[in-house]
C-alpha cells in the first residue's frame, strides 16, 4: 500500500524539524551566566583539576555559603574537600597556613569583608611573610576569598572596602574581578598561584549576568590562551579622559562613560583587575593618550588604593597631563546605614562632576 503525504502534513513535519533545530541551536548557544555561577564553576574546576585544593569557611558546606558561591560543591566533592568551620576567622586563616605549608592549596572564605578583621594578625604576620622569612623555602599557595564593598544595603560589619589594608602589606597579591568572565579566570589563576592571594568579590555583582560560554572559557583557561594575572583591561575606549576603576566601581564608571558620550565627551574606562601586582603600563598608556584621569573606588579616599593609583599616575604621566588626577571615592567615615549608602558610594553624577573639573578650559 502506498502512503501519500499531504502538503499540510509535509509542512507540519518541516515546521517540527525546524523547531527542533532551533531548540538545539538555542541549547548550544552561550547562556546568561551570573558572577556567582562563574565563581562556583571556577571552584569546581579547581577541585577537579588538583586534589590538593580544599575549600572551607563559615557555612560554605551544606548551605553553600551566604551568597551560595559554594552551592553543591560539598555534595559533589565530599566533606573532606568543601566543609564548614567554626565561627573563628583567625582559626580559619591559621589552619590554611598549616595546610599550605604542607603542600595543599586551601581556599578559605571570609563570610563578609569586615568579618575578616580577626584574621588580620595571621594574614599580615604569617601569610604575607612566610616566603620571605624562610628565604623562599616555604610557599603559601592559598586564597582568601572576601565578599566586599557596598550595594546590598548591609550595615558596617557586612559592608566594607578593606582592600587598602591588604594592598599595603608586601607579600600578598590582591585581585578583584569586575566581569563574569574575569570572575572565572581570575579565581582559577588565584588558586593556581604559588603566592597567597586575597581575592575580593564585589557583593553587589554576584547576581550580575553576562552571556558567555563557560565551557569555552574553561577550555581557553586550560589552553593558557588568556591570562588576567597582573594585567589591567580596557573596558571601554575613549579619547578625552580616563576613568580608572576596579571591582564594584567598574560598572559605575562604564555607566558614567555612557552618559558622557550622550553629551559628546569620550571617556576611556580602565578596569584595574589586579591591585597587586599593579599594571602601570596599561593604566599609564591610557592616561598618556587622553591627558586626563579620574580614579574611582568605593573605599574611603584617605591613604587608600585610590590614593596610590593617583600618585603612580601623577609620577609617571606628569608631562602628559592636562589637569591634576582627581578621585571619586567613599567618604572618610564608617560605612553608613543602608538608607544612606547611596550618598557614600561613587555615583555617575559624582564621576561626571569630577570629569567636569578636569580644566577643560585650558
Amino acid at each position: 500500500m502506498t502512503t501519500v503525504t499531504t502538503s499540510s502534513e509535509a509542512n507540519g513535519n518541516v515546521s517540527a524539524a525546524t523547531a527542533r533545530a532551533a531548540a538545539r541551536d538555542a541549547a548550544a548557544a552561550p547562556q546568561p551566566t551570573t558572577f556567582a555561577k562563574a565563581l562556583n564553576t571556577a571552584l569546581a574546576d579547581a577541585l577537579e583539576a588538583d586534589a590538593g585544593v580544599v575549600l572551607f569557611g563559615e557555612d560554605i558546606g551544606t548551605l553553600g555559603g551566604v551568597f551560595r558561591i559554594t552551592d553543591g560543591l560539598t555534595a559533589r566533592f565530599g566533606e573532606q574537600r568543601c566543609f564548614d568551620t567554626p565561627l573563628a576567622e583567625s582559626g580559619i586563616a591559621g589552619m590554611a597556613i598549616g595546610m599550605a605549608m604542607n603542600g595543599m592549596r586551601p581556599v578559605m572564605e571570609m563570610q563578609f569583608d569586615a568579618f575578616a578583621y580577626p584574621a588580620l594578625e595571621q594574614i599580615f604576620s604569617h601569610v604575607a611573610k612566610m616566603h620571605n622569612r624562610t628565604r623562599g623555602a616555604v610557599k603559601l599557595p592559598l586564597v582568601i576569598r572576601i565578599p566586599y564593598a557596598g550595594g546590598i544595603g548591609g550595615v558596617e560589619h557586612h559592608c566594607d572596602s578593606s582592600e587598602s589594608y591588604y594592598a599595603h602589606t608586601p607579600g600578598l597579591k590582591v585581585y578583584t574581578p569586575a566581569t563574569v568572565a574575569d570572575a572565572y579566570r581570575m579565581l582559577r589563576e588565584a588558586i593556581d598561584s604559588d603566592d597567597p592571594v586575597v581575592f575580593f568579590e564585589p557583593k553587589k555583582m554576584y547576581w550580575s549576568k553576562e552571556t558567555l560560554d563557560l565551557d569555552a572559557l574553561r577550555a581557553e583557561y586550560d589552553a593558557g590562551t588568556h591570562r588576567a594575572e597582573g594585567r589591567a583591561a580596557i573596558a571601554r575606549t575613549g579619547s578625552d579622559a580616563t576613568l580608572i576603576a576596579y571591582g564594584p566601581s567598574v560598572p559605575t564608571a562604564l555607566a558614567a562613560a555612557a552618559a558622557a558620550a550622550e553629551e559628546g565627551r569620550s571617556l576611556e574606562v580602565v578596569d584595574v583587575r589586579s591591585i597587586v601586582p599593579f599594571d602601570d603600563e596599561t593604566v599609564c598608556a591610557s592616561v598618556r593618550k587622553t591627558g586626563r584621569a579620574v580614579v574611582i573606588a568605593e573605599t574611603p579616599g584617605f591613604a587608600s588604593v585610590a590614593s596610590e593609583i593617583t600618585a603612580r599616575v601623577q609620577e609617571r604621566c606628569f608631562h602628559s597631563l592636562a589637569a591634576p588626577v582627581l578621585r571619586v571615592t567613599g567618604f572618610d567615615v564608617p560605612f553608613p546605614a543602608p538608607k544612606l549608602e547611596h550618598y557614600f558610594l561613587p555615583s555617575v553624577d559624582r564621576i561626571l562632576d569630577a570629569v567636569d573639573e578636569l580644566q577643560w578650559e585650558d
Side-chain angles (χ1 to χ4, degrees):
M1 178 178 178
T2 303
T3 301
V4 178
T5 302
T6 65
S7 59
S8 61
E9 289 173 332
N11 289 338
N13 291 335
V14 170
S15 298
T18 301
R20 287 194 295 271
R24 287 194 299 270
D25 291 343
Q31 300 297 313
T33 301
T34 65
F35 199 96
K37 176 62 176 176
L39 293 171
N40 179 274
T41 304
L43 291 170
D45 288 351
L47 286 164
E48 192 74 51
D50 187 341
V53 174
V54 60
L55 317 181
F56 51 89
E58 298 164 6
D59 297 321
I60 77 161
T62 303
L63 181 65
V66 170
F67 299 102
R68 304 301 187 267
I69 305 305
T70 54
D71 188 38
L73 298 183
T74 297
R76 178 176 172 185
F77 294 97
E79 293 183 351
Q80 299 299 312
R81 304 288 304 282
C82 180
F83 58 89
D84 294 332
T85 66
L87 306 184
E89 286 76 14
S90 182
I92 293 171
M95 181 168 63
I97 293 168
M99 287 180 168
M101 289 177 69
N102 285 277
M104 302 181 75
R105 291 185 178 271
V107 182
M108 69 190 99
E109 177 183 300
M110 298 296 174
Q111 197 168 68
F112 288 93
D113 29 37
F115 286 14
Y117 296 152
L120 288 184
E121 195 280 328
Q122 290 277 14
I123 296 168
F124 293 167
S125 296
H126 304 293
V127 173
K129 294 180 172 63
M130 186 65 69
H131 189 71
N132 183 71
R133 181 184 298 138
T134 61
R135 298 184 180 181
V138 177
K139 294 182 173 63
L140 292 184
L142 58 83
V143 178
I144 306 168
R145 291 182 44 244
I146 302 180
Y148 86 121
I152 66 166
V155 293
E156 70 273 11
H157 291 126
H158 297 80
C159 284
D160 209 352
S161 292
S162 52
E163 62 270 22
S164 298
Y165 303 132
Y166 302 90
H168 179 72
T169 304
L172 301 174
K173 291 180 178 178
V174 182
Y175 297 169
T176 179
T179 69
V180 173
D182 276 348
Y184 176 87
R185 65 169 62 98
M186 291 179 69
L187 184 52
R188 290 294 307 275
E189 289 171 6
I191 296 170
D192 285 346
S193 175
D194 285 336
D195 299 309
V197 180
V198 184
F199 194 85
F200 281 102
E201 301 167 6
K203 292 193 290 286
K204 70 180 180 184
M205 297 181 66
Y206 280 140
W207 302 278
S208 63
K209 293 182 179 180
E210 292 176 25
T211 299
L212 54 79
D213 187 337
L214 275 175
D215 289 334
L217 192 63
R218 178 187 295 114
E220 176 188 83
Y221 182 82
D222 291 340
T225 55
H226 184 97
R227 288 290 185 268
E229 185 174 16
R231 303 298 296 178
I234 304 299
R236 179 186 176 112
T237 59
S239 56
D240 294 337
T242 298
L243 305 181
I244 305 167
Y246 58 83
S249 296
V250 172
T252 310
L254 288 169
E262 295 180 0
E263 300 173 358
R265 188 167 282 166
S266 175
L267 303 182
E268 184 150 293
V269 178
V270 177
D271 177 358
V272 169
R273 299 205 289 188
S274 172
I275 296 174
V276 181
F278 186 79
D279 184 1
D280 290 294
E281 180 182 353
T282 300
V283 172
C284 291
S286 175
V287 175
R288 291 189 187 104
K289 180 181 76 171
T290 64
R292 293 176 169 85
V294 176
V295 181
I296 305 155
E298 290 190 9
T299 183
F302 186 81
S304 65
V305 170
S307 304
E308 175 63 20
I309 295 173
T310 300
R312 297 176 84 88
V313 171
Q314 294 267 132
E315 291 167 356
R316 291 162 175 77
C317 304
F318 181 79
H319 294 290
S320 300
L321 290 171
V325 179
L326 300 181
R327 290 178 293 161
V328 177
T329 69
F331 301 115
D332 295 328
V333 298
F335 203 91
K339 290 184 178 180
L340 301 176
E341 187 181 47
H342 65 285
Y343 294 111
F344 177 86
L345 300 176
S347 64
V348 169
D349 287 341
R350 288 178 61 198
I351 294 169
L352 294 180
D353 287 345
V355 171
D356 287 341
E357 295 175 10
L358 291 174
Q359 300 185 4
W360 300 97
E361 65 277 8
D362 294 336

